[in-house]
Amino acid sequence: MGQPGLDPKEFLKRLKEEHQVLRWEPLPPNQFNPSSGGEQSRSGSSLDYLHKHWALPDSFNPEDAGGGPKGRLVGLFGRLTYRVLGRYLHEERDLLSHVVRISEALERRCDALTLRVQEMNLDIVKRQVAEAENQALLAAWLHAESPRTTSGVASISSTIAQRNKAAAAKEDSDRSR
């Protein structure tokens, strides 16, 4: 009979426990999930509907009245109604067109804000990664070197300083974009 298979995850966990050099490790950074919370909850169909149906009629259509004496009476009443309410209907049409324009501008602004929030989330995760790396170097430095020796301290502290300078330069270049 053969040996039972090793579980790689369990083996790695056991190996880390047995050979752990550091008793403390920095917290790992959050996982960046670009689709969480940044999705738009609206649909484009409602804005399309507004664009197609915002215009109110500004005159009476005689075909709506029909024929015969009843149709003539309805036609007369329709023309009279549109003549009396014409100014009001024109103002309401202007109002509706303005509402549609504002709705479209708000949709564009929401899209821009969603993109900005996603960029900021990515920047935060990048910063967390840099901080975790810096803390891991600090932990290694504190664990590996005693306060009496300075040769190892100088090399680790120069590594930390180089990484900090590189991170600062990268942040400056990212800001200038």
Side-chain angles (χ1 to χ4, degrees), residues 134-146:
N134 197 20
Q135 288 177 357
L137 283 172
L138 177 63
W141 174 63
L142 290 174
H143 181 76
E145 300 297 327
S146 67

Side-chain angles (χ1 to χ4, degrees), residues 101-165:
R101 285 192 302 271
I102 288 175
S103 296
E104 189 168 348
L106 286 173
E107 182 178 20
R108 285 193 305 268
R109 181 66 178 147
C110 286
D111 290 342
L113 288 174
T114 299
L115 289 175
R116 181 64 183 135
V117 166
Q118 288 175 348
E119 289 173 359
M120 289 178 69
N121 284 338
L122 188 59
D123 289 345
I124 288 170
V125 169
K126 286 179 182 178
R127 181 65 183 181
Q128 286 177 341
V129 168
E131 286 179 6
E133 184 178 308
N134 197 20
Q135 288 177 357
L137 283 172
L138 177 63
W141 174 63
L142 290 174
H143 181 76
E145 300 297 327
S146 67
R148 288 183 240 153
T149 62
T150 58
S151 63
V153 173
S155 67
I156 291 177
S157 62
S158 66
T159 303
I160 291 172
Q162 288 171 355
R163 287 180 181 247
N164 287 343
K165 286 179 186 176

Side-chain angles (χ1 to χ4, degrees), residues 42-60:
R42 59 183 162 53
S43 67
S45 62
S46 58
L47 192 59
D48 290 339
Y49 178 82
L50 284 176
H51 275 293
K52 292 176 184 170
H53 296 92
W54 67 268
L56 297 175
D58 55 356
S59 64
F60 180 71

Side-chain angles (χ1 to χ4, degrees), residues 48-108:
D48 290 339
Y49 178 82
L50 284 176
H51 275 293
K52 292 176 184 170
H53 296 92
W54 67 268
L56 297 175
D58 55 356
S59 64
F60 180 71
N61 187 359
E63 295 174 1
D64 293 340
K70 186 176 177 183
R72 280 186 283 189
L73 184 62
V74 169
L76 178 65
F77 182 71
R79 286 190 303 277
L80 179 64
T81 302
Y82 272 92
R83 176 176 253 155
V84 170
L85 296 177
R87 193 175 110 199
Y88 168 77
L89 292 174
H90 182 70
E91 289 175 6
E92 189 166 341
R93 184 178 184 153
D94 289 343
L95 173 72
L96 287 175
S97 69
H98 189 72
V99 168
V100 170
R101 285 192 302 271
I102 288 175
S103 296
E104 189 168 348
L106 286 173
E107 182 178 20
R108 285 193 305 268

